[in-house]
Amino acid sequence: VFLPVSLPAQEDERAVRAAYLFTLTKYVSWPAGQGELKICSKVDASVGMDLKQILDGKVSEGRTVHVVLNPTGMEQRQCAILYLGSVSPAKIVIALQELGSAPVLTVGDGAGFARRGGMVGLVRTEDQIQLHVNLSALRAAGIQMSSRLLNIAIIDQAERQSR
Amino acid sequence: MKLPRHKSLAADITLIVLLASGLSLVVFTAAMMLFDKSSSIAQSDARLGTLADIVGQNSTAAVDFDDRRAAAQVLQALRKEPRIVSACLYNASGALFSAYYREASAAMCPRVNGPHAESTPNLRSVSRPILRTSEVVGTIYLLGDLRDLHTRQRTLVELSALLAVFSLSVGGIAGLLMQRRISKPISRLAHGMHEVTSGGTFESRAAVEGSRETMELAQEFNLMLAELERRDQIAKQAEAQLQQEASTDALTGLPNRRLFLDRLPQIIALAQREHRAVALLYLDLDGFKLVNDSLGHSVGDTLLCEVAERFKKHIRKSDTLARIGGDEFTVILSSLHEAGDANIVAQALLSSLTKPFRIEGHDITIGASIGVSTLSDAQTEGDDLLQQADSAMYAAKKSGRNCTMFFTSDMSQIARERLTIENELRGALERGEIYVCYQPEFSVTTGELVRFEALARWRHPTLGQITPDRFIPVAEESGLIHTIGAFVLEQACMEALKWKQPLNNPMQVAVNMSAIQFNSEDILKTMAEILNRTGIDPGLVQIELTESVMVGSLRRSAEKMRKMQKMGLSIAIDDFGTGYSCLSYLPELPINAIKIDRSFTNKLCQGSETVKMVRSMVDLAHSMEMRVIVEGVEDRTQLGLLREIGADEVQGFLLGRPGPNPSSLAELGRRSDTGLLMEGQCTIPEPIRREAQLCRSGIEYNQTTCLTEAMPTPQSSAVDTTGNPCSPTWQAFTPTQLSRPGNKN
């Protein structure tokens, strides 16, 4: 994994985020953690393409990564990670509702993502990307996250919302 | 004795205790510290590793997500570990990701693959990979400081030193107390030994106490003391025995000469203080030499012992009996009422010897001569007393033996004279001063001359004529009698051969033999030699022995006499009736004749008792087939009586005095048989008278006054004025080949 010391450009930041997604898989364990590791994304096509380019075919903990762009409603429930990118809070709610209680790690950009019911938010602070984690959301989806990751993450208390 | 100041046992023991405890303490402490150090380092290393692992574990996510702040926070947690000097976190590519320094001055983190800082005693480093499950995501490097460990150890050392000081003090005191248990018994033992050496006695014993070794030492010391005591006693006994032996005669157990000479002055001093008389008896056994020579020394020794035993019974406890020489005894009679009492003791001692001694099958008769000196006679000196008793003893010996003499002042003179005689007698024979005179013996029945008796004479150039009674005893004592006797025998034999010519008839010769001579080992050999040399018929020689030859062993004497008879000699007993008047020997001995002593002849005219006695003697001899010769016939009355009694042969001044040239006498004697004896007149033929004159100086000592009265005055013309007893006038009568007895040939 190539981890640049700084993030000079937007393309580079995309790569960093992709690397973060991949690294996340190493700290997270799913209820049915076998077979193909599907990383789905509902982002811009260019971002999606970059993601697919970087991550597709990688192996994490014995599982091959398969990037699925813009999955269907049924498809997205089969994903291990659903990367939503920088989406509006409304879209977040819709996406989360579509997933229901499926064990899919939801990842988004921005500080509000985790607070709004997302599981992991990748928040850019200064020259670093900070992880924000919503523990109740993780727990609700039956996904476990390594405490080592939690040690470096900021735990966000989710805003009360109905599921 | 003070020993040089040296390390004492006590100090040694204390030192050993201190050294041992100190050394063990040091070794123990060192071992403990070494172990502690190594275990502490291992523990510290383990802890460093664990810390590195924990920090690494906690840093995986931070490294993965490139979260430096989180990594720094994780490393900051090490601040609670004071030992950690620095911590360095590297990412998977080896670049330093995060670092922690306790102090700003700490060494910078090394390159991850570069050489780590050397592990020094103070600094320990550990490098661990950071693992996410099995994937290495980075490396953690920790540098630990062990300075506190060393501080702890230094404290431990200080504590140990303190403990050592304390325990050594305690140990030293304990050692001091314990060494006393060891050294005190030894000191006491040494003290005991000192007592022995300074006290000089071996009676004390050391106390057996303390340790086993010390007890053994004390026991062995006591054993040694006992042994020393035993040896000391033996040495003392030996010393006492030596003292005893030095002052005691080993043979008889009596005091010896030394002790006697020691005691004599003491007794004299005591007696003088108490004004009591002291007498000294000096005893000399008569004939002891004969016993020793004839029967051997063992018999002589036994005899001395038995004599001593008999003497002991006759003296008081307060008197001192000592043996001061071969056969010489002394008795100091202290506390006498008067000096004359000594005579009673002397007589008792003499009479104790009358019963013969029976030793090794021999019946031994022995006499003693006793000289007595008393304190009143002496000055104060013990030596004088002894000298006087000695002189008196000699006088007693001379007066006929077996008698006692008290010292008189003229005895000293006699003793001195005696010494002179002895000195002069040596060499007298070689100087030709000894010569032989001959006295005729006649047959009573036929009046014929039957024999000449050879008599030794001594004429000294300055002392003049010395009588046989003066020099013969001296010759006997000095041993000169052997050569003198042999000389007389040889002279007599030669003389007898000369008579053959004038007489045409063999003439017998009588030769006196001293008991000393008779008892000598080689007397028979000497006699045989002389008889051979001269070629005389032994039948012509009569040996005259005195009764004293019976002193000693009668059996041996008889055997010897028989041997002499076998040689052809005849044996006569001289001076019969005097000496040891024990007739029991008579039948035992092979005797041809007896010669009745002149003392009987002298008394013949004085009374009938003597006549009876002589008659008995004659009868006795005849009954035993012995001839009887009577000597000392001086007048015709005696001659007449003897003829009547039945004596066989006579000899005396009446009939012929001893003369140097008997061959002439032989002729005269032959003539006299018609004149003198048959006529019974008291006239002496002229030649005999002249002959007698020449040997006058040799007359017997107990010659009586009646003899001199009976003797006519010799004619002065017949006296040889040259002093030579063998006058040249007589050579006219002598055959020319004859030697002159008085001159040296």
Side-chain angles (χ1 to χ4, degrees):
Chain A
V1 180
F2 176 65
L3 284 172
V5 175
S6 60
L7 301 169
Q10 200 171 7
E11 290 79 25
D12 295 337
E13 194 176 323
R14 283 183 197 161
V16 168
R17 288 178 194 269
Y20 267 45
L21 281 178
F22 182 72
T23 308
L24 267 175
T25 62
K26 295 171 179 175
Y27 291 93
V28 175
S29 53
W30 286 267
Q34 293 298 319
E36 203 179 42
L37 187 71
K38 281 183 181 170
I39 297 174
C40 308
S41 71
K42 283 184 174 176
V43 288
D44 297 344
S46 61
V47 175
M49 280 314 290
D50 281 353
L51 205 61
K52 196 171 177 74
Q53 197 182 340
I54 293 166
L55 296 178
D56 222 3
K58 283 192 164 231
V59 178
S60 167
E61 308 289 317
R63 297 170 79 181
T64 311
V65 174
H66 179 62
V67 178
V68 180
L69 298 175
N70 298 317
T72 61
M74 272 306 285
E75 239 177 5
Q76 65 186 7
R77 291 174 79 99
Q78 303 297 319
C79 293
I81 293 172
L82 178 63
Y83 180 51
L84 294 171
S86 314
V87 290
S88 63
K91 278 189 177 172
I92 294 168
V93 172
I94 294 164
L96 292 176
Q97 277 176 343
E98 281 174 4
L99 285 173
S101 62
V104 177
L105 183 72
T106 52
V107 181
D109 294 338
F113 183 73
R115 273 204 306 273
R116 281 171 189 123
M119 290 175 190
V120 177
L122 305 175
V123 185
R124 186 185 171 113
T125 57
E126 296 168 19
D127 59 345
Q128 231 183 318
I129 289 166
Q130 180 72 52
L131 292 176
H132 288 229
V133 176
N134 183 337
L135 283 177
S136 50
L138 280 171
R139 218 173 281 133
I143 295 168
Q144 284 188 348
M145 183 173 274
S146 164
S147 62
R148 288 191 264 171
L149 184 67
L150 292 176
N151 276 344
I152 62 161
I154 293 163
I155 308 298
D156 277 353
Q157 287 300 112
E159 291 161 4
R160 196 147 293 278
Q161 57 180 315
S162 60
R163 294 281 301 259
Chain B
M1 186 179 65
K2 200 76 181 170
L3 287 172
R5 196 88 187 144
H6 224 266
K7 265 196 287 178
S8 72
L9 189 61
D12 272 349
I13 292 167
T14 312
L15 198 71
I16 287 167
V17 167
L18 287 180
L19 266 175
S21 51
L23 205 68
S24 61
L25 209 66
V26 166
V27 168
F28 177 76
T29 309
M32 280 305 289
M33 280 174 60
L34 216 68
F35 173 74
D36 180 69
K37 190 176 177 181
S38 65
S39 69
S40 293
I41 287 170
Q43 209 179 356
S44 175
D45 283 353
R47 188 169 170 76
L48 270 182
T50 309
L51 277 173
D53 281 344
I54 291 168
V55 170
Q57 287 280 318
N58 285 323
S59 306
T60 38
V63 173
D64 268 350
F65 292 99
D66 199 24
D67 189 345
R68 287 168 191 271
R69 207 178 51 221
Q73 274 174 1
V74 171
L75 293 182
Q76 278 297 323
L78 291 172
R79 191 159 288 284
K80 292 210 172 135
E81 277 294 323
R83 268 188 208 164
I84 305 300
V85 176
S86 58
C88 309
L89 197 62
Y90 305 90
N91 59 20
S93 58
L96 184 66
F97 181 69
S98 182
Y100 159 77
Y101 303 107
R102 174 168 286 278
E103 282 161 14
S105 61
M108 293 304 287
C109 282
R111 284 175 57 83
V112 71
N113 290 326
H116 290 180
E118 282 295 313
S119 281
T120 62
N122 280 339
L123 292 171
R124 307 291 296 181
S125 66
V126 67
S127 185
R128 294 291 179 102
I130 299 168
L131 296 172
R132 186 204 324 111
T133 52
S134 60
E135 196 183 338
V136 176
V137 294
T139 307
I140 178 79
Y141 170 84
L142 288 184
L143 189 63
D145 187 2
L146 297 183
R147 210 171 290 153
D148 66 320
L149 188 72
H150 292 283
T151 315
R152 202 188 70 174
Q153 284 218 322
R154 203 174 299 126
T155 315
L156 207 66
V157 167
E158 284 165 6
L159 201 70
S160 297
L162 248 154
L163 255 164
V165 167
F166 175 71
S167 61
L168 285 181
S169 323
V170 171
I173 289 163
L176 270 171
L177 290 174
M178 273 165 61
Q179 63 82 18
R180 250 181 233 170
R181 283 184 49 200
I182 298 166
S183 65
K184 208 163 184 183
I186 293 176
S187 296
R188 232 179 264 174
L189 195 60
H191 183 69
M193 288 178 182
H194 177 73
E195 271 182 1
V196 169
T197 50
S198 62
T201 60
F202 303 112
E203 286 156 16
S204 60
R205 290 288 182 274
V208 178
E209 59 183 6
S211 62
R212 187 167 53 81
E213 288 88 348
T214 320
M215 279 166 77
E216 278 172 7
L217 185 63
Q219 266 168 357
E220 289 303 315
F221 173 65
N222 285 344
L223 282 176
M224 187 186 74
L225 273 184
E227 178 64 15
L228 279 174
E229 194 177 13
R230 194 179 65 81
R231 291 191 185 186
D232 187 52
Q233 278 169 357
I234 290 170
K236 276 177 181 163
Q237 279 168 4
E239 203 179 337
Q241 201 183 334
L242 273 179
Q243 191 72 38
Q244 171 83 1
E245 279 166 6
S247 60
T248 308
D249 170 42
L251 183 62
T252 59
L254 295 175
N256 64 8
R257 188 181 191 94
R258 212 177 104 172
L259 185 59
F260 162 74
L261 290 175
D262 259 9
R263 261 189 214 176
L264 187 57
Q266 296 169 12
I267 292 168
I268 288 172
L270 191 69
Q272 281 176 334
R273 263 209 303 281
E274 294 175 354
H275 303 289
R276 307 194 76 140
V278 169
L280 177 63
L281 270 56
Y282 199 119
L283 292 100
D284 187 282
L285 298 181
D286 296 333
F288 177 73
K289 190 169 160 42
L290 294 173
V291 174
N292 236 7
D293 289 349
S294 60
L295 299 178
H297 290 287
S298 73
V299 173
D301 287 351
T302 314
L303 179 61
L304 284 173
C305 290
E306 297 204 356
V307 167
E309 285 305 314
R310 289 197 191 177
F311 283 173
K312 272 185 205 165
K313 289 175 189 157
H314 291 90
I315 59 161
R316 296 170 300 173
K317 276 245 162 75
S318 57
D319 300 332
T320 305
L321 171 65
R323 178 173 169 237
I324 62 168
D327 61 344
E328 292 175 333
F329 293 85
T330 53
V331 183
I332 309 170
L333 301 170
S334 54
S335 309
L336 287 176
H337 291 295
E338 49 181 67
D341 290 351
N343 197 34
I344 299 166
V345 179
Q347 289 310 313
L349 293 178
L350 283 182
S351 63
S352 74
L353 298 179
T354 48
K355 194 184 157 205
F357 294 89
R358 185 159 184 88
I359 296 165
E360 293 183 12
H362 304 284
D363 274 322
I364 298 167
T365 312
I366 201 158
S369 300
I370 305 180
V372 184
S373 61
T374 54
L375 193 58
S376 51
D377 300 320
Q379 307 303 311
T380 52
E381 297 292 319
D383 279 354
D384 289 348
L385 205 62
L386 184 63
Q387 196 68 57
Q388 290 168 0
D390 189 26
S391 299
M393 188 275 289
Y394 267 108
K397 202 144 252 201
K398 211 160 83 174
S399 77
R401 308 193 163 203
N402 220 27
C403 68
T404 305
M405 285 280 231
F406 274 64
F407 175 76
T408 56
S409 53
D410 59 339
M411 282 177 183
S412 301
Q413 176 61 35
I414 293 166
R416 273 195 293 279
E417 190 195 290
R418 190 193 156 77
L419 198 65
T420 313
I421 288 172
E422 188 180 333
N423 288 336
E424 292 302 319
L425 190 58
R426 296 179 194 283
L429 203 60
E430 286 77 4
R431 291 192 300 268
E433 293 167 16
I434 306 283
Y435 62 96
V436 185
C437 279
Y438 302 89
Q439 193 177 19
E441 291 176 18
F442 296 92
S443 165
V444 177
T445 48
T446 64
E448 274 183 25
L449 176 68
V450 290
R451 193 181 295 108
F452 281 104
E453 184 183 6
L455 298 163
R457 292 292 182 264
W458 179 19
R459 185 179 180 82
H460 189 268
T462 53
L463 298 172
Q465 203 71 29
I466 297 164
T467 56
D469 63 299
R470 281 169 72 196
F471 77 83
I472 293 297
V474 176
E476 284 181 335
E477 270 174 38
S478 58
L480 290 165
I481 193 70
H482 298 293
T483 47
I484 293 172
F487 169 76
V488 173
L489 177 63
E490 187 157 8
Q491 287 295 313
C493 290
M494 282 159 67
E495 200 64 39
L497 286 171
K498 289 179 200 165
W499 302 333
K500 271 192 166 175
Q501 277 196 336
L503 293 173
N504 290 322
N505 195 1
M507 177 66 70
Q508 285 195 27
V509 66
V511 179
N512 291 293
M513 182 173 282
S514 156
I516 303 281
Q517 257 182 295
F518 178 81
N519 280 305
S520 80
E521 290 286 318
D522 49 0
I523 183 64
L524 291 171
K525 200 177 138 207
T526 310
M527 287 173 76
E529 275 171 15
I530 291 169
L531 294 174
N532 268 336
R533 196 155 55 232
T534 54
I536 196 170
D537 170 17
L540 296 178
V541 182
Q542 172 174 293
I543 301 296
E544 296 192 0
L545 301 164
T546 59
E547 287 175 72
S548 60
V549 297
M550 267 69 78
V551 172
S553 168
L554 195 65
R555 190 162 51 79
R556 276 177 70 122
S557 298
E559 197 179 313
K560 214 169 216 177
M561 285 157 80
R562 234 169 255 125
K563 280 181 182 164
M564 288 182 182
Q565 279 187 332
K566 258 185 199 161
M567 287 163 75
L569 301 162
S570 56
I571 309 286
I573 297 297
D574 206 359
D575 306 333
F576 185 83
T578 61
Y580 307 90
S581 316
C582 180
L583 285 174
S584 64
Y585 70 83
L586 218 52
E588 306 275 329
L589 298 178
I591 297 166
N592 303 98
I594 60 164
K595 203 168 193 178
I596 293 172
D597 192 66
R598 68 187 70 241
S599 57
F600 294 99
T601 320
N602 288 341
K603 291 175 188 163
L604 270 178
C605 35
Q606 287 170 11
S608 61
E609 296 302 313
T610 313
V611 176
K612 281 181 192 166
M613 204 193 286
V614 174
R615 193 191 300 277
S616 303
M617 286 196 269
V618 170
D619 289 347
L620 179 71
H622 282 165
S623 70
M624 298 179 80
E625 294 177 342
M626 296 174 188
R627 281 179 291 114
V628 177
I629 309 157
V630 181
E631 58 179 5
V633 179
E634 285 155 5
D635 59 43
R636 302 169 63 118
T637 322
Q638 290 168 349
L639 185 62
L641 277 166
L642 288 171
R643 187 184 288 135
E644 192 262 319
I645 285 166
D648 298 300
E649 289 148 21
V650 287
Q651 180 187 16
F653 284 4
L654 174 69
L655 307 162
R657 288 180 176 245
N661 200 335
S663 42
S664 57
L665 283 170
E667 234 170 308
L668 293 163
R670 199 171 42 181
R671 269 179 268 148
S672 72
D673 61 351
T674 46
L676 178 74
L677 291 171
M678 292 304 147
E679 286 167 17
Q681 291 169 354
C682 207
T683 52
I684 295 168
E686 182 62 15
I688 292 180
R689 212 186 296 150
R690 280 193 292 173
E691 177 85 0
Q693 187 62 39
L694 288 161
C695 277
R696 175 167 229 165
S697 43
I699 53 172
E700 309 298 330
Y701 64 93
N702 51 359
Q703 145 191 5
T704 57
T705 45
C706 102
L707 168 67
T708 42
E709 278 164 13
M711 291 301 294
T713 317
Q715 287 175 8
S716 57
S717 61
V719 178
D720 176 20
T721 48
T722 59
N724 190 334
C726 299
S727 162
T729 39
W730 288 96
Q731 287 191 353
F733 291 92
T734 317
T736 44
Q737 74 271 26
L738 290 189
S739 61
R740 287 179 296 169
N743 286 347
K744 241 183 198 170
N745 290 343

